[in-house]
Amino acid sequence: MPESLCFHHGQLIDGTGREPVPDGVVLTDTDGHITYAGPADGAPDAGDARRVDAAGGTILPGFIDCHVHVFASGRWEPLAVAMAKFDDYRHLEAAVRLRQTLLAGVTTVRDLGGTTPGMRRAVADGLIDGPRLLVSHGILSHTGGHVDWTFPNGQAVERSDYAISALNHIVDSPQEAVVATRQLVRSGVDVIKVCATGGMGSVSDDPDDQGLTVEEMRAIHAELGRYHGRRLPIAAHAQGRRGIHNALISGVRSIEHGYGIGEEECQLLIDSGAFLVPTLSTMVFDPEDQQRMPADYVRKKLGWIERGRENIANAIDQGASVALGTDAGAGPHGLNLRELGYLCDLGMTPHAAIQSGTRVGAELLELDDSIGTLEAGKLADVVVYDGDAIADIRGLGDAERISHVATSGRLVKDAGTYRPRVLSI
């Protein structure tokens, strides 16, 4: 249950872009909302609120990772091992990854392939601990495209640690794209994921290959406009330049990866109000994982690392709205905030990188009225880091240095100790 909390004695970075407050206070109520965030000398009496001493550290909004795959381990397990897993075991693995992510300071994630609305409900209902979840469930691709896990000999991988064919939709016409979209909307998804290009991990294509056509993506966009209320957004897996261009002129809300983005595409993104989610964590090789990766995947990745970083750096410099996303699942879970340092490597200031992982992410997800910044009235998603988040932003990537995590006013991590929710079912 939420409780009244008083985070105090720490530097406050509220995510809005305002300058850090050297001695900040955040107060929350039993409804799980923030009642005050600001300097200590203007704070109301905290009464009998539980005190969280952030002395020597930084009080921050809960972070948002806009691109994860909870059902993929990121460990590049042998295909035979992954395919042998029972579904209930895979669900329990996913629950552990969600908890790891939450304890690393990430209080909201958008899963772009593999996680169902059922897992979203399990978190919301408190059956398992994890970040607030938004899900795409499946992914739309064409025959031979990024998520068509059919090998040249016709053998299809229906399910494994990193192939989720059972959830994906292979579409080869605007009408098929519309039918798949209707099926996903019916299942209760939060976002539609499309493949506008090939990918590094694909069986049959490359990042520079185009994916769904403009006509197919525009048909999806038009279909989503038929529903009453909020139009579901489209997230486009888009790595090569031509596919990025196609996605942007088709009305997508976010470009995922975007390694080939050029100046023209960046301007299209800015003019349309779309977001770039660069997933720089995928460009970091773990030597052990590299040995287990398919040779073709390694070849593609090595060929893209430097030009991808250069293009993302140019997009940052041009003023693109960049939201933090890691593609966790293609890499390890629980290290999500290392992405902040990678953004700084490409020209972001630490303060801007923090906003990328808080306010900007909330804007992309259209949740900025309730999360993303520490302001009165918003949900009490609060993180305490044991260092100076401006001077030592890379330390945020070490989950051991995230001393406290609160989600909707419930303190789930207290001085590094996990506080599980206790339910009676």
Side-chain angles (χ1 to χ4, degrees):
M1 293 290 291
E3 57 184 319
S4 295
L5 300 169
C6 173
F7 298 86
H8 63 146
H9 293 159
Q11 173 183 227
L12 171 64
I13 298 177
D14 65 13
T16 65
R18 290 190 285 261
E19 288 300 307
V21 177
D23 183 15
V25 170
V26 175
L27 302 176
T28 76
D29 61 23
T30 56
D31 290 327
H33 290 84
I34 297 167
T35 58
Y36 176 82
D41 60 11
D45 182 18
D48 59 358
R50 180 188 182 94
R51 263 62 173 181
V52 176
D53 192 341
T58 308
I59 307 166
L60 298 140
F63 284 90
I64 302 165
D65 190 333
C66 294
H67 192 134
V68 304
H69 299 280
V70 172
F71 272 80
S73 73
R75 294 193 305 267
W76 289 94
E77 293 178 322
L79 190 60
V81 173
M83 289 183 67
K85 292 178 181 177
F86 287 96
D87 279 353
D88 49 3
Y89 185 88
R90 287 166 46 79
H91 280 80
L92 291 170
E93 281 189 313
V96 170
R97 294 177 196 130
L98 285 168
R99 187 177 68 211
Q100 285 177 318
T101 303
L102 179 63
L103 298 185
V106 179
T107 53
T108 302
V109 298
R110 183 177 60 160
D111 188 292
L112 289 179
T115 300
T116 72
M119 186 65 80
R120 180 187 64 201
R121 180 178 174 183
V123 173
D125 288 353
L127 298 182
I128 57 175
D129 272 339
R132 185 177 297 104
L133 261 173
L134 287 81
V135 301
S136 74
H137 191 184
I139 304 172
L140 276 65
S141 178
H142 67 281
T143 298
H146 180 51
V147 297
D148 181 356
W149 277 80
T150 305
F151 289 92
N153 64 356
Q155 182 67 42
V157 178
E158 290 302 327
R159 178 162 303 197
S160 76
D161 193 46
Y162 42 85
I164 46 175
S165 301
L167 302 181
N168 294 329
H169 296 260
I170 303 303
V171 299
D172 292 307
S173 70
Q175 181 58 30
E176 289 181 1
V178 166
V179 171
T181 299
R182 289 174 179 172
Q183 291 170 342
L184 288 166
V185 170
R186 181 182 62 192
S187 74
V189 300
D190 303 291
V191 56
I192 302 296
K193 168 87 173 283
V194 303
C195 293
T197 70
M200 297 181 192
S202 304
V203 171
S204 305
D205 64 15
D206 286 288
D208 274 322
D209 293 340
Q210 297 179 59
L212 295 190
T213 66
V214 171
E215 291 75 20
E216 287 162 349
M217 288 187 281
R218 284 180 171 170
I220 294 166
H221 186 267
E223 174 63 24
L224 294 172
R226 297 178 60 247
Y227 299 97
H228 176 71
R230 171 178 171 260
R231 176 197 288 266
L232 290 185
I234 303 171
H237 164 98
Q239 296 183 352
R241 184 171 184 175
R242 289 184 296 173
I244 294 170
H245 187 99
N246 290 345
L248 287 167
I249 64 174
S250 301
V252 306
R253 184 161 178 81
S254 63
I255 295 294
E256 309 297 316
H257 315 299
Y259 307 137
I261 193 169
E263 184 176 341
E264 180 184 354
E265 290 72 39
C266 189
Q267 194 58 53
L268 274 173
L269 182 139
I270 292 168
D271 292 344
S272 66
F275 294 77
L276 175 63
V277 185
T279 63
L280 299 171
S281 296
T282 63
M283 299 204 173
V284 178
F285 266 134
D286 181 291
E288 292 185 8
D289 280 344
Q290 186 170 347
Q291 293 175 6
R292 292 192 289 262
M293 291 174 179
D296 199 42
Y297 182 90
V298 174
R299 174 190 63 78
K300 293 178 194 178
K301 182 164 283 197
L302 289 175
W304 272 92
I305 286 176
E306 290 308 316
R307 59 172 163 156
R309 285 175 174 159
E310 180 180 354
N311 290 333
I312 299 300
N314 289 338
I316 291 171
D317 186 61
Q318 197 172 332
S321 292
V322 175
L324 183 147
T326 61
D327 207 4
H333 296 270
L335 303 177
N336 311 63
L337 298 188
R338 288 185 179 181
E339 185 81 10
L340 297 166
Y342 303 147
L343 289 168
C344 291
D345 289 341
L346 299 189
M348 270 198 186
T349 66
H351 205 173
I354 289 168
Q355 291 175 71
S356 173
T358 55
R359 176 184 58 80
V360 180
E363 290 172 355
L364 164 56
L365 304 184
E366 298 179 278
L367 295 175
D368 48 307
D369 60 339
S370 57
I371 63 171
T373 58
L374 297 177
E375 297 179 278
K378 292 194 174 182
L379 291 173
D381 290 356
V382 187
V383 165
V384 178
Y385 166 54
D386 73 5
D388 183 332
I390 299 298
D392 184 18
I393 193 167
R394 295 179 197 282
L396 279 161
D398 180 357
E400 295 298 318
R401 299 189 63 187
I402 304 296
S403 63
H404 296 80
V405 178
T407 175
S408 294
R410 188 173 70 88
L411 197 62
V412 295
K413 189 178 186 182
D414 183 358
T417 302
Y418 171 47
R419 303 177 74 209
R421 189 192 311 238
V422 178
L423 291 176
S424 56
I425 301 177

